[in-house]
Structure formats: structure tokens, C-alpha cells
Coordinates of all heavy atoms in Angstrom, one line a residue:
M1 N 68.1 18.3 -46.5 CA 67.0 19.0 -47.1 C 66.0 19.3 -46.0 O 65.7 18.5 -45.1 CB 66.4 18.1 -48.1 CG 65.1 18.7 -48.7 SD 64.5 17.7 -50.1 CE 63.6 16.4 -49.3
S2 N 65.5 20.6 -46.0 CA 64.5 20.9 -44.9 C 63.2 20.3 -45.2 O 62.9 19.9 -46.4 CB 64.4 22.5 -44.9 OG 63.7 23.0 -46.0
V3 N 62.4 20.2 -44.2 CA 61.1 19.6 -44.3 C 60.1 20.4 -43.5 O 60.5 21.1 -42.6 CB 61.0 18.1 -43.8 CG1 61.9 17.2 -44.6 CG2 61.4 18.0 -42.3
H4 N 58.8 20.2 -43.8 CA 57.8 20.8 -43.0 C 57.0 19.6 -42.3 O 57.0 18.5 -42.9 CB 56.7 21.6 -43.9 CG 57.3 22.9 -44.3 ND1 58.1 23.0 -45.4 CD2 57.1 24.1 -43.8 CE1 58.4 24.3 -45.6 NE2 57.8 25.0 -44.6
L5 N 56.5 19.9 -41.1 CA 55.7 18.9 -40.4 C 54.4 19.6 -40.2 O 54.3 20.7 -39.7 CB 56.4 18.6 -39.1 CG 55.6 17.7 -38.2 CD1 55.5 16.3 -38.7 CD2 56.2 17.7 -36.8
I6 N 53.3 18.9 -40.6 CA 52.0 19.4 -40.4 C 51.4 18.5 -39.3 O 51.3 17.3 -39.4 CB 51.1 19.3 -41.6 CG1 51.8 20.2 -42.7 CG2 49.7 19.7 -41.3 CD1 51.1 20.2 -44.0
V7 N 50.9 19.1 -38.2 CA 50.4 18.4 -37.0 C 49.0 19.0 -36.7 O 48.8 20.2 -36.6 CB 51.3 18.7 -35.8 CG1 50.8 17.8 -34.6 CG2 52.7 18.3 -36.1
T8 N 48.1 18.1 -36.5 CA 46.7 18.5 -36.1 C 46.5 18.0 -34.7 O 46.7 16.8 -34.4 CB 45.7 17.8 -37.0 OG1 45.9 18.3 -38.4 CG2 44.3 18.3 -36.6
L9 N 46.1 18.9 -33.8 CA 45.9 18.7 -32.4 C 44.5 19.0 -32.0 O 44.0 20.1 -32.4 CB 46.8 19.5 -31.6 CG 48.3 19.4 -31.8 CD1 49.1 20.5 -31.1 CD2 48.8 18.0 -31.4
H10 N 43.8 18.1 -31.3 CA 42.4 18.4 -30.9 C 42.4 18.5 -29.4 O 42.6 17.5 -28.7 CB 41.5 17.2 -31.3 CG 40.1 17.4 -31.1 ND1 39.1 16.8 -31.8 CD2 39.4 18.3 -30.3 CE1 37.9 17.2 -31.4 NE2 38.1 18.1 -30.5
A11 N 42.2 19.7 -28.9 CA 42.3 20.0 -27.5 C 41.0 19.5 -26.8 O 39.9 19.4 -27.4 CB 42.4 21.5 -27.2
R12 N 41.2 19.1 -25.5 CA 40.0 18.7 -24.7 C 39.2 20.0 -24.4 O 39.7 21.1 -24.2 CB 40.5 18.1 -23.4 CG 41.1 16.8 -23.6 CD 41.6 16.1 -22.3 NE 41.1 16.7 -21.1 CZ 41.7 16.5 -19.9 NH1 42.7 15.7 -19.8 NH2 41.2 17.1 -18.8
E13 N 37.9 19.8 -24.3 CA 37.0 21.0 -24.1 C 37.3 21.6 -22.7 O 37.4 22.8 -22.6 CB 35.5 20.5 -24.1 CG 34.5 21.5 -23.7 CD 34.4 22.7 -24.6 OE1 34.4 22.4 -25.8 OE2 34.3 23.8 -24.2
D14 N 37.6 20.8 -21.7 CA 37.8 21.3 -20.4 C 39.2 22.0 -20.3 O 39.6 22.6 -19.2 CB 37.7 20.3 -19.3 CG 38.6 19.1 -19.4 OD1 39.0 18.8 -20.6 OD2 39.0 18.6 -18.4
R15 N 40.0 21.9 -21.3 CA 41.4 22.5 -21.3 C 41.5 23.6 -22.4 O 42.6 24.0 -22.7 CB 42.4 21.4 -21.6 CG 42.4 20.2 -20.7 CD 42.6 20.6 -19.3 NE 44.0 21.1 -19.1 CZ 44.4 21.6 -18.0 NH1 43.7 21.5 -16.9 NH2 45.7 22.0 -17.9
R16 N 40.4 24.1 -22.9 CA 40.3 25.1 -24.0 C 41.2 26.2 -23.7 O 42.1 26.6 -24.5 CB 38.9 25.5 -24.1 CG 38.7 26.7 -25.2 CD 37.3 27.3 -25.1 NE 36.3 26.3 -25.5 CZ 35.8 26.2 -26.7 NH1 36.2 27.0 -27.7 NH2 34.9 25.3 -26.9
D17 N 41.1 26.9 -22.6 CA 41.9 28.1 -22.3 C 43.3 27.8 -22.1 O 44.2 28.5 -22.6 CB 41.3 28.9 -21.1 CG 39.9 29.4 -21.4 OD1 39.5 29.6 -22.6 OD2 39.2 29.7 -20.4
D18 N 43.6 26.8 -21.3 CA 45.0 26.4 -21.1 C 45.7 26.0 -22.4 O 46.9 26.3 -22.6 CB 45.1 25.2 -20.1 CG 44.6 25.6 -18.7 OD1 44.7 26.8 -18.4 OD2 44.2 24.7 -18.0
F19 N 45.0 25.3 -23.3 CA 45.6 24.9 -24.5 C 45.9 26.1 -25.4 O 46.9 26.1 -26.1 CB 44.7 23.8 -25.2 CG 45.4 23.1 -26.3 CD1 46.3 22.1 -25.9 CD2 45.3 23.4 -27.6 CE1 47.0 21.4 -26.9 CE2 46.0 22.7 -28.6 CZ 46.9 21.7 -28.2
A20 N 45.0 27.0 -25.5 CA 45.2 28.3 -26.2 C 46.4 29.0 -25.8 O 47.3 29.5 -26.6 CB 44.0 29.2 -26.2
Q21 N 46.6 29.0 -24.4 CA 47.8 29.6 -23.9 C 49.1 28.8 -24.3 O 50.1 29.4 -24.6 CB 47.7 29.8 -22.4 CG 46.7 30.8 -21.9 CD 46.5 30.8 -20.4 OE1 47.1 30.1 -19.7 NE2 45.6 31.7 -20.0
L22 N 49.0 27.5 -24.2 CA 50.1 26.6 -24.6 C 50.5 26.9 -26.0 O 51.6 27.0 -26.4 CB 49.7 25.2 -24.4 CG 50.8 24.2 -24.8 CD1 52.1 24.3 -24.1 CD2 50.2 22.8 -24.6
M23 N 49.5 27.0 -26.9 CA 49.8 27.2 -28.3 C 50.5 28.6 -28.5 O 51.4 28.7 -29.4 CB 48.5 27.1 -29.2 CG 48.0 25.7 -29.3 SD 49.1 24.6 -30.2 CE 49.9 23.7 -28.9
A24 N 50.1 29.6 -27.8 CA 50.7 30.9 -27.9 C 52.2 30.8 -27.4 O 53.1 31.4 -28.1 CB 50.0 31.9 -27.0
A25 N 52.5 30.0 -26.4 CA 53.9 29.7 -26.0 C 54.6 28.9 -27.0 O 55.8 29.3 -27.3 CB 53.9 29.0 -24.6
V26 N 54.0 27.9 -27.6 CA 54.7 27.2 -28.7 C 55.1 28.1 -29.9 O 56.2 28.0 -30.4 CB 53.8 26.0 -29.2 CG1 54.3 25.4 -30.5 CG2 53.6 25.0 -28.1
K27 N 54.2 29.0 -30.2 CA 54.4 29.9 -31.3 C 55.7 30.7 -31.1 O 56.4 31.0 -32.0 CB 53.2 30.8 -31.6 CG 53.3 31.7 -32.8 CD 52.1 32.5 -33.0 CE 52.2 33.4 -34.2 NZ 51.0 34.1 -34.4
Q28 N 55.9 31.1 -29.8 CA 57.0 31.9 -29.5 C 58.3 31.1 -29.2 O 59.4 31.5 -29.6 CB 56.7 32.7 -28.2 CG 57.8 33.7 -27.8 CD 57.4 34.5 -26.6 OE1 56.3 34.5 -26.2 NE2 58.3 35.3 -26.1
D29 N 58.1 29.9 -28.6 CA 59.3 29.2 -28.1 C 59.8 28.2 -29.1 O 61.0 28.0 -29.2 CB 59.0 28.4 -26.8 CG 58.6 29.3 -25.7 OD1 59.0 30.6 -25.7 OD2 58.0 28.9 -24.7
L30 N 59.0 27.5 -29.9 CA 59.4 26.5 -30.8 C 60.5 27.0 -31.8 O 61.5 26.3 -32.0 CB 58.3 25.8 -31.6 CG 58.6 24.6 -32.4 CD1 59.3 23.5 -31.6 CD2 57.4 24.1 -33.1
P31 N 60.4 28.2 -32.4 CA 61.4 28.6 -33.3 C 62.8 28.7 -32.7 O 63.8 28.8 -33.5 CB 60.9 29.9 -33.8 CG 59.4 29.8 -33.7 CD 59.2 29.1 -32.4
T32 N 62.9 28.7 -31.4 CA 64.2 28.8 -30.8 C 64.8 27.4 -30.6 O 66.0 27.3 -30.2 CB 64.1 29.5 -29.4 OG1 63.4 28.7 -28.5 CG2 63.5 30.8 -29.5
A33 N 64.1 26.3 -30.9 CA 64.6 25.0 -30.7 C 65.6 24.7 -31.8 O 65.5 25.2 -33.0 CB 63.5 23.9 -30.9
P34 N 66.7 24.0 -31.5 CA 67.7 23.7 -32.5 C 67.1 23.0 -33.7 O 66.4 22.0 -33.6 CB 68.7 22.7 -31.8 CG 68.5 23.0 -30.3 CD 67.0 23.4 -30.2
G35 N 67.4 23.5 -34.9 CA 66.9 22.9 -36.1 C 65.5 23.4 -36.6 O 65.1 23.0 -37.7
C36 N 64.8 24.1 -35.7 CA 63.5 24.6 -36.1 C 63.6 26.0 -36.8 O 64.2 26.9 -36.3 CB 62.6 24.8 -34.9 SG 60.9 25.3 -35.4
R37 N 63.1 26.1 -38.0 CA 63.2 27.3 -38.8 C 61.9 28.2 -38.6 O 61.9 29.3 -39.0 CB 63.3 27.0 -40.2 CG 64.6 26.3 -40.6 CD 64.7 26.0 -42.0 NE 66.0 25.3 -42.4 CZ 66.4 25.2 -43.6 NH1 65.7 25.7 -44.6 NH2 67.5 24.5 -43.8
G38 N 60.9 27.7 -38.0 CA 59.7 28.5 -37.7 C 58.5 27.6 -37.6 O 58.5 26.4 -37.9
V39 N 57.4 28.2 -37.2 CA 56.1 27.5 -37.0 C 55.0 28.5 -37.2 O 55.0 29.7 -36.9 CB 56.0 26.9 -35.6 CG1 56.0 27.9 -34.5 CG2 54.7 26.0 -35.5
S40 N 53.9 28.0 -37.9 CA 52.7 28.8 -38.0 C 51.6 27.9 -37.3 O 51.6 26.7 -37.5 CB 52.3 29.0 -39.5 OG 53.2 29.8 -40.1
I41 N 50.7 28.6 -36.6 CA 49.7 27.8 -35.9 C 48.3 28.4 -36.3 O 48.1 29.6 -36.3 CB 49.9 27.9 -34.3 CG1 51.2 27.4 -33.9 CG2 48.7 27.2 -33.6 CD1 51.6 27.5 -32.5
Y42 N 47.4 27.5 -36.6 CA 46.1 27.8 -37.1 C 45.0 27.1 -36.2 O 45.3 26.0 -35.7 CB 45.9 27.4 -38.5 CG 46.9 27.9 -39.5 CD1 48.1 27.2 -39.7 CD2 46.7 29.2 -40.1 CE1 49.0 27.7 -40.6 CE2 47.7 29.7 -40.9 CZ 48.8 28.9 -41.2 OH 49.8 29.5 -42.0
R43 N 43.9 27.8 -36.0 CA 42.8 27.2 -35.2 C 41.6 27.2 -36.2 O 41.3 28.2 -36.8 CB 42.5 28.0 -34.0 CG 41.4 27.3 -33.1 CD 41.2 28.0 -31.8 NE 40.8 29.4 -32.0 CZ 40.7 30.2 -31.0 NH1 41.1 29.9 -29.8 NH2 40.3 31.4 -31.3
Q44 N 40.9 26.0 -36.2 CA 39.8 25.9 -37.1 C 38.6 26.8 -36.7 O 38.4 26.9 -35.5 CB 39.3 24.5 -37.2 CG 40.2 23.5 -37.9 CD 39.6 22.2 -38.1 OE1 38.4 22.0 -38.0 NE2 40.4 21.2 -38.5
V45 N 38.0 27.5 -37.6 CA 36.9 28.4 -37.3 C 35.7 27.6 -36.8 O 35.0 28.0 -35.9 CB 36.6 29.2 -38.6 CG1 35.3 30.1 -38.3 CG2 37.7 30.1 -38.9
E46 N 35.4 26.5 -37.5 CA 34.2 25.8 -37.2 C 34.3 24.8 -36.1 O 33.4 24.4 -35.5 CB 33.7 25.0 -38.5 CG 33.2 26.0 -39.6 CD 32.9 25.3 -40.9 OE1 33.1 24.1 -41.0 OE2 32.5 26.0 -41.8
Q47 N 35.6 24.4 -35.8 CA 35.9 23.5 -34.7 C 37.1 24.2 -33.9 O 38.2 23.8 -34.1 CB 36.3 22.1 -35.2 CG 35.2 21.4 -35.9 CD 35.6 20.0 -36.3 OE1 36.6 19.5 -35.8 NE2 34.9 19.5 -37.2
P48 N 36.8 25.1 -33.0 CA 37.9 25.9 -32.4 C 38.8 25.1 -31.4 O 39.7 25.7 -30.9 CB 37.1 27.0 -31.7 CG 35.7 26.5 -31.5 CD 35.5 25.6 -32.7
L49 N 38.5 23.9 -31.2 CA 39.3 23.1 -30.3 C 40.4 22.3 -31.2 O 41.3 21.7 -30.6 CB 38.5 22.0 -29.5 CG 37.6 22.6 -28.5 CD1 36.8 21.5 -27.9 CD2 38.4 23.3 -27.4
V50 N 40.3 22.5 -32.5 CA 41.2 21.8 -33.4 C 42.3 22.8 -33.9 O 41.9 23.9 -34.5 CB 40.5 21.2 -34.6 CG1 41.5 20.5 -35.5 CG2 39.5 20.1 -34.0
Y51 N 43.5 22.5 -33.7 CA 44.7 23.4 -34.1 C 45.5 22.6 -35.1 O 45.6 21.4 -35.1 CB 45.5 23.7 -32.9 CG 44.9 24.6 -31.9 CD1 44.0 24.1 -31.0 CD2 45.3 26.0 -31.8 CE1 43.4 25.0 -30.1 CE2 44.7 26.8 -30.9 CZ 43.8 26.3 -30.0 OH 43.2 27.1 -29.1
T52 N 46.1 23.4 -36.1 CA 47.0 22.8 -37.0 C 48.3 23.6 -36.9 O 48.3 24.8 -37.0 CB 46.5 22.8 -38.5 OG1 45.3 22.1 -38.5 CG2 47.5 22.3 -39.5
L53 N 49.4 22.9 -36.7 CA 50.7 23.5 -36.7 C 51.4 23.1 -38.0 O 51.4 22.0 -38.4 CB 51.5 23.0 -35.5 CG 51.2 23.5 -34.1 CD1 49.8 23.0 -33.7 CD2 52.2 23.1 -33.1
V54 N 52.1 24.1 -38.6 CA 52.9 23.9 -39.7 C 54.3 24.3 -39.3 O 54.6 25.5 -39.1 CB 52.5 24.7 -41.0 CG1 53.4 24.4 -42.2 CG2 51.0 24.3 -41.3
E55 N 55.2 23.3 -39.1 CA 56.5 23.5 -38.5 C 57.5 23.3 -39.7 O 57.3 22.5 -40.5 CB 56.8 22.5 -37.4 CG 55.8 22.6 -36.3 CD 56.0 21.5 -35.2 OE1 57.1 20.8 -35.3 OE2 55.2 21.3 -34.4
H56 N 58.6 24.2 -39.6 CA 59.6 24.1 -40.7 C 60.9 23.7 -39.9 O 61.3 24.4 -39.0 CB 59.8 25.4 -41.4 CG 60.7 25.4 -42.5 ND1 61.1 26.5 -43.2 CD2 61.3 24.3 -43.2 CE1 61.9 26.2 -44.2 NE2 62.0 24.9 -44.2
W57 N 61.5 22.5 -40.3 CA 62.7 22.0 -39.7 C 63.8 21.8 -40.7 O 63.6 21.6 -41.9 CB 62.3 20.6 -39.1 CG 61.4 20.7 -37.9 CD1 60.0 20.7 -37.9 CD2 61.8 20.9 -36.6 NE1 59.5 20.9 -36.7 CE2 60.6 21.0 -35.8 CE3 63.0 21.1 -35.9 CZ2 60.6 21.2 -34.4 CZ3 63.0 21.3 -34.5 CH2 61.8 21.4 -33.8
D58 N 65.0 21.9 -40.2 CA 66.2 21.6 -41.0 C 66.1 20.2 -41.6 O 66.6 20.0 -42.7 CB 67.5 21.7 -40.2 CG 67.8 23.2 -39.8 OD1 67.3 24.1 -40.5 OD2 68.6 23.3 -38.9
S59 N 65.6 19.2 -40.8 CA 65.5 17.8 -41.3 C 64.6 17.1 -40.4 O 64.2 17.6 -39.3 CB 66.9 17.2 -41.2 OG 67.4 17.1 -39.8
T60 N 64.2 15.9 -40.8 CA 63.4 15.0 -39.9 C 64.2 14.7 -38.7 O 63.6 14.6 -37.6 CB 62.9 13.8 -40.6 OG1 64.0 13.1 -41.1 CG2 61.9 14.1 -41.8
A61 N 65.5 14.5 -38.8 CA 66.3 14.1 -37.6 C 66.3 15.3 -36.6 O 66.3 15.0 -35.4 CB 67.7 13.9 -38.1
A62 N 66.3 16.5 -37.1 CA 66.2 17.6 -36.1 C 64.9 17.6 -35.4 O 64.9 17.9 -34.1 CB 66.4 19.0 -36.9
H63 N 63.8 17.3 -36.1 CA 62.5 17.3 -35.4 C 62.5 16.1 -34.4 O 62.0 16.2 -33.3 CB 61.4 17.2 -36.4 CG 60.1 17.0 -35.7 ND1 59.4 15.8 -35.7 CD2 59.4 17.8 -34.9 CE1 58.3 15.9 -35.0 NE2 58.3 17.1 -34.5
Q64 N 63.0 14.9 -34.8 CA 63.0 13.8 -33.9 C 63.8 14.0 -32.7 O 63.4 13.6 -31.6 CB 63.5 12.5 -34.7 CG 62.6 12.0 -35.8 CD 61.3 11.6 -35.2 OE1 61.2 10.9 -34.2 NE2 60.2 12.0 -35.8
A65 N 64.9 14.7 -32.8 CA 65.8 15.1 -31.6 C 65.0 16.0 -30.7 O 65.0 15.9 -29.5 CB 67.1 15.8 -32.1
H66 N 64.2 16.9 -31.3 CA 63.4 17.8 -30.5 C 62.3 17.0 -29.7 O 62.1 17.3 -28.5 CB 62.7 18.9 -31.4 CG 61.6 19.7 -30.7 ND1 61.9 20.6 -29.7 CD2 60.3 19.7 -30.8 CE1 60.8 21.1 -29.3 NE2 59.8 20.6 -29.9
L67 N 61.7 16.1 -30.4 CA 60.7 15.2 -29.7 C 61.3 14.5 -28.5 O 60.7 14.3 -27.5 CB 60.1 14.2 -30.7 CG 59.0 14.8 -31.6 CD1 58.4 13.6 -32.5 CD2 57.8 15.3 -30.8
Q68 N 62.5 13.9 -28.7 CA 63.2 13.2 -27.7 C 63.5 14.1 -26.5 O 63.3 13.7 -25.3 CB 64.5 12.6 -28.2 CG 64.3 11.5 -29.1 CD 65.6 10.9 -29.7 OE1 66.6 11.5 -29.6 NE2 65.5 9.8 -30.4
R69 N 63.8 15.4 -26.7 CA 64.1 16.3 -25.7 C 62.7 16.6 -24.9 O 62.7 16.7 -23.7 CB 64.7 17.6 -26.2 CG 66.1 17.5 -26.6 CD 66.8 18.8 -26.9 NE 66.2 19.5 -28.0 CZ 66.5 19.3 -29.3 NH1 67.4 18.4 -29.7 NH2 65.8 20.0 -30.3
M70 N 61.7 16.8 -25.7 CA 60.3 17.0 -25.1 C 59.9 15.9 -24.2 O 59.4 16.1 -23.1 CB 59.3 17.3 -26.2 CG 59.3 18.7 -26.7 SD 57.8 19.0 -27.7 CE 56.5 18.9 -26.5
E71 N 60.1 14.7 -24.7 CA 59.7 13.5 -23.9 C 60.6 13.4 -22.6 O 60.0 13.1 -21.5 CB 59.9 12.2 -24.7 CG 58.8 12.1 -25.8 CD 59.0 10.9 -26.7 OE1 60.0 10.2 -26.6 OE2 58.1 10.7 -27.6
A72 N 61.8 13.7 -22.7 CA 62.7 13.6 -21.6 C 62.4 14.6 -20.5 O 62.5 14.4 -19.3 CB 64.2 13.7 -22.0
S73 N 62.0 15.8 -21.0 CA 61.7 16.9 -20.0 C 60.3 16.8 -19.4 O 60.0 17.6 -18.5 CB 61.8 18.3 -20.8 OG 60.8 18.4 -21.7
G74 N 59.4 16.0 -20.0 CA 58.1 15.9 -19.5 C 57.1 16.8 -20.3 O 55.9 16.8 -20.0
G75 N 57.7 17.6 -21.2 CA 56.9 18.5 -22.0 C 55.8 17.8 -22.8 O 54.7 18.3 -23.0
W76 N 56.2 16.7 -23.4 CA 55.3 16.0 -24.3 C 54.1 15.4 -23.4 O 52.9 15.5 -23.9 CB 55.9 14.9 -25.1 CG 55.0 14.2 -26.0 CD1 54.4 13.0 -25.9 CD2 54.4 14.8 -27.1 NE1 53.5 12.7 -26.9 CE2 53.5 13.8 -27.7 CE3 54.5 16.0 -27.8 CZ2 52.7 14.1 -28.8 CZ3 53.7 16.3 -28.9 CH2 52.9 15.3 -29.4
A77 N 54.4 14.9 -22.3 CA 53.3 14.4 -21.4 C 52.3 15.5 -21.0 O 51.1 15.3 -21.0 CB 53.9 13.7 -20.2
A78 N 52.9 16.7 -20.7 CA 52.0 17.8 -20.3 C 51.1 18.2 -21.5 O 49.9 18.5 -21.3 CB 52.9 19.0 -19.9
L79 N 51.7 18.3 -22.7 CA 50.9 18.6 -23.9 C 49.8 17.5 -24.1 O 48.6 17.8 -24.3 CB 51.8 18.8 -25.1 CG 51.1 19.3 -26.4 CD1 52.0 20.1 -27.2 CD2 50.5 18.1 -27.2
S80 N 50.2 16.3 -24.1 CA 49.3 15.2 -24.4 C 48.1 15.1 -23.5 O 47.0 14.7 -23.9 CB 50.1 13.8 -24.4 OG 51.0 13.8 -25.4
A81 N 48.4 15.5 -22.2 CA 47.3 15.5 -21.2 C 46.2 16.4 -21.6 O 45.1 16.3 -21.1 CB 47.9 15.8 -19.8
Q82 N 46.4 17.4 -22.4 CA 45.4 18.4 -22.8 C 44.7 18.0 -24.1 O 43.8 18.7 -24.6 CB 46.1 19.7 -23.0 CG 46.6 20.2 -21.6 CD 47.1 21.6 -21.7 OE1 46.4 22.5 -22.3 NE2 48.2 21.9 -21.1
L83 N 45.0 16.9 -24.7 CA 44.5 16.5 -26.0 C 43.3 15.5 -25.8 O 43.3 14.6 -25.0 CB 45.5 15.8 -26.9 CG 46.7 16.7 -27.3 CD1 47.7 15.9 -28.1 CD2 46.2 17.9 -28.0
A84 N 42.3 15.7 -26.7 CA 41.1 14.8 -26.7 C 41.4 13.5 -27.4 O 40.7 12.5 -27.2 CB 39.9 15.5 -27.3
E85 N 42.4 13.5 -28.3 CA 42.8 12.4 -29.1 C 44.2 12.5 -29.5 O 44.8 13.6 -29.5 CB 41.8 12.3 -30.3 CG 41.8 13.5 -31.2 CD 40.7 13.5 -32.2 OE1 39.5 13.3 -31.9 OE2 41.0 13.6 -33.4
P86 N 44.8 11.4 -30.0 CA 46.2 11.5 -30.4 C 46.4 12.5 -31.5 O 45.5 12.6 -32.4 CB 46.6 10.1 -30.8 CG 45.6 9.2 -30.1 CD 44.3 10.0 -30.0
P87 N 47.6 13.1 -31.6 CA 47.8 14.0 -32.7 C 48.0 13.3 -34.0 O 48.3 12.1 -34.0 CB 49.1 14.7 -32.3 CG 49.7 13.9 -31.3 CD 48.6 13.1 -30.6
V88 N 47.7 13.9 -35.1 CA 47.9 13.4 -36.5 C 49.0 14.3 -37.1 O 48.9 15.5 -37.1 CB 46.6 13.4 -37.3 CG1 46.9 12.9 -38.7 CG2 45.5 12.6 -36.6
S89 N 50.0 13.6 -37.6 CA 51.1 14.4 -38.2 C 51.7 13.8 -39.4 O 51.6 12.5 -39.6 CB 52.2 14.7 -37.2 OG 52.8 13.5 -36.8
A90 N 52.4 14.6 -40.3 CA 53.0 14.1 -41.5 C 54.1 15.0 -41.8 O 54.0 16.3 -41.8 CB 52.1 13.9 -42.6
Y91 N 55.3 14.5 -42.3 CA 56.3 15.3 -42.9 C 56.0 15.5 -44.3 O 55.5 14.6 -45.0 CB 57.7 14.6 -42.8 CG 58.2 14.4 -41.4 CD1 58.2 13.2 -40.8 CD2 58.7 15.5 -40.7 CE1 58.7 13.0 -39.5 CE2 59.2 15.4 -39.4 CZ 59.2 14.1 -38.8 OH 59.7 14.0 -37.5
V92 N 56.2 16.8 -44.8 CA 55.8 17.1 -46.2 C 57.0 18.0 -46.7 O 57.7 18.6 -46.0 CB 54.5 17.8 -46.3 CG1 53.4 16.9 -45.8 CG2 54.5 19.1 -45.6
T93 N 57.1 18.0 -48.1 CA 58.0 18.9 -48.8 C 57.1 19.6 -49.8 O 56.1 19.1 -50.3 CB 59.1 18.1 -49.4 OG1 58.6 17.1 -50.3 CG2 60.0 17.5 -48.4
A94 N 57.6 20.8 -50.2 CA 56.9 21.6 -51.2 C 57.2 21.0 -52.5 O 58.2 20.5 -52.8 CB 57.4 23.0 -51.1
L95 N 56.2 21.1 -53.4 CA 56.4 20.7 -54.8 C 57.0 21.8 -55.6 O 56.9 23.0 -55.3 CB 55.0 20.3 -55.4 CG 54.3 19.1 -54.7 CD1 53.0 18.9 -55.4 CD2 55.2 17.9 -54.8

């Protein structure tokens, strides 16, 4: 059963431009990851350093495998270094 993952990311002020570029790359590249069906990325109007990603995955296992690949490649460390606080995420299904 497919799942959606909702992730909220709060970028560091001093990384504003770099993080915006990173999110543009994620929007283009993430859907090519095995098991990813797509992603929508939103930026809060009142808090422009806060982004919400809505990712669609074949399964939670597919997403977990993607995270393992990101950690192994150093991609997760690079993303985390641009965050002001840890991400908040949850798997969800449509009603």
C-alpha cells in the first residue's frame, strides 16, 4: 500500500538561498528515487524559512531504503547542516 510522508523542515537563516536551491533540486530529483511516486514542496508565506514536503512512496520500506542511501552517500548530513532544528515527519494515508 502506498503512503505519503509529510516532512517539515526549518532552514537556517544564514542558509536561506542555499536551502531554496536544495529544495528546487529535491523537487526535480526525488521523484527519480526508487519507490518515490512524487513530491510537492511548499514554503510558508509567514515563515519563509519553513518548508513542507509531501512525498508519495510505494511503501514505508521504500522510503526507509531511500533514507539509508542518503545517509550512506552523505546527502542527509549535507541537508541536516542547513537546518535550524530537526525535521518533523509522519507517514500518512488518505481517508
Side-chain angles (χ1 to χ4, degrees):
M1 177 171 80
S2 71
V3 297
H4 286 84
L5 176 69
I6 299 176
V7 184
T8 300
L9 304 169
H10 188 157
R12 291 179 14 198
E13 175 67 41
D14 64 326
R15 305 300 295 177
R16 175 190 298 262
D17 294 337
D18 291 336
F19 197 77
Q21 290 175 359
L22 176 62
M23 289 295 99
V26 167
K27 185 176 180 180
Q28 183 174 353
D29 297 341
L30 185 59
T32 67
C36 184
R37 296 184 180 188
V39 62
S40 297
I41 301 177
Y42 304 91
R43 185 170 63 188
Q44 289 188 15
V45 173
E46 295 173 356
Q47 295 181 19
L49 294 174
V50 179
Y51 291 77
T52 299
L53 286 68
V54 180
E55 304 174 9
H56 189 188
W57 291 91
D58 287 341
S59 64
T60 57
H63 175 253
Q64 291 297 315
H66 170 70
L67 279 182
Q68 289 175 351
R69 288 188 299 273
M70 280 192 63
E71 289 173 355
S73 71
W76 183 252
L79 186 147
S80 295
Q82 297 189 44
L83 297 178
E85 56 193 54
V88 175
S89 64
Y91 293 108
V92 298
T93 56
L95 297 178

